[in-house]
Amino acid sequence: KYLLLIIAAWAAWSLIYTVTRPQADPDKRIDIFIQSETAMEEGIRGFVEPIWHEVVPDMEEVNTSTILLTDEYNASMQMVVHVATADGDIYLLDEEYFHRFAREGTFVPLEGLIEEGKIDATGIDLEKGYQEYVLEYDENDVPTKTERHLYGIPMESLYGFMTDMMVDNRNMYAVIAVNNGNDDNVQLFFDAMIQKARREKPDWLE
């Protein structure tokens, strides 16, 4: 019960914050959440803003938020609230949170978008981005029916996230929230991020 009260309180705070801060309509903004201890705000804005103005200039807002991992409990709570309240469109997540939410069908399956040419994943090893989505459980909460989809783009070879944004891209995944409410623009922005992050491996990286 105590845990539920904490979740409810955090959700209430998030709702108040969301209601009181100025916001564009969902179809006029893109919200990006980055799970990282090392990301630099200046680097994030320098990476994101040119994409905004060049690729989706009609968007009134492109917002970025960093979720710190230093406090694992609070990071987990933030992630649950943001995902549950549809508070983000694009997420950059570590392996643990990616698999946790992907198996619940929280993210857009990407294989269709790649086949349609909306996302260019040429040269990226996508195998780790596949996850079983659990459709049914038995009475003992054991999965009995699943579907396998590509829910995330592995970021490990996309060194621009590291060199430009200072995000440790190892074991990280780029995903699109299934309930983003702004599919066309979010997909354009997501693909542009992937393409911009294509960099040669830095010499200083072992």
Side-chain angles (χ1 to χ4, degrees):
K1 291 182 179 179
Y2 179 66
L3 178 58
L4 291 175
L5 286 173
I6 294 175
I7 295 174
W10 195 299
W13 173 87
S14 178
L15 180 60
I16 291 170
Y17 175 71
T18 300
V19 169
T20 56
R21 66 173 175 170
Q23 282 191 322
D25 292 337
D27 62 347
K28 287 294 183 181
R29 75 173 193 266
I30 295 174
D31 297 318
I32 304 166
F33 286 89
I34 302 167
Q35 186 184 6
S36 175
E37 293 178 344
T38 58
M40 302 293 291
E41 180 63 26
E42 184 177 352
I44 293 172
R45 297 313 305 178
F47 186 94
V48 165
E49 288 187 358
I51 298 176
W52 173 9
H53 299 305
E54 294 169 15
V55 178
V56 288
D58 292 338
M59 294 296 96
E60 295 176 6
E61 295 179 12
V62 173
N63 304 307
T64 60
S65 299
T66 302
I67 298 176
L68 298 177
L69 305 179
T70 49
D71 186 336
E72 184 176 350
Y73 178 75
N74 282 333
S76 178
M77 292 289 293
Q78 287 183 59
M79 286 302 307
V80 170
V81 170
H82 289 315
V83 173
T85 58
D87 199 26
D89 302 307
I90 295 171
Y91 290 85
L92 306 183
L93 300 176
D94 72 9
E95 190 170 37
E96 176 186 350
Y97 285 99
F98 166 67
H99 289 299
R100 178 190 300 186
F101 291 112
R103 69 171 59 100
E104 298 172 2
T106 304
F107 308 132
V108 172
L110 303 176
E111 62 267 37
L113 298 178
I114 292 173
E115 292 171 3
E116 295 170 13
K118 294 181 178 179
I119 295 175
D120 180 5
T122 305
I124 301 174
D125 185 353
L126 300 174
E127 182 57 34
K128 289 183 178 180
Y130 282 89
Q131 170 69 47
E132 297 287 338
Y133 166 38
V134 180
L135 296 170
E136 294 179 6
Y137 295 87
D138 64 14
E139 63 276 8
N140 298 314
D141 288 331
V142 176
T144 57
K145 186 177 180 181
T146 63
E147 289 183 357
R148 189 170 185 264
H149 293 289
L150 178 69
Y151 286 114
I153 301 295
M155 294 167 49
E156 194 157 3
S157 64
L158 300 173
Y159 296 107
F161 288 118
M162 180 178 287
T163 59
D164 295 10
M165 298 169 60
M166 297 304 294
V167 172
D168 187 347
N169 60 320
R170 293 170 295 183
N171 297 315
M172 292 281 289
Y173 298 83
V175 305
I176 299 175
V178 72
N179 51 5
N180 65 81
N182 189 8
D183 276 337
D184 291 341
N185 290 299
V186 169
Q187 290 168 14
L188 284 170
F189 200 97
F190 184 85
D191 179 62
M193 288 182 69
I194 299 302
Q195 307 320 314
K196 186 170 182 176
R198 293 178 183 270
R199 298 279 195 281
E200 294 296 325
K201 185 176 181 179
D203 295 335
W204 48 264
L205 185 63
E206 296 182 359

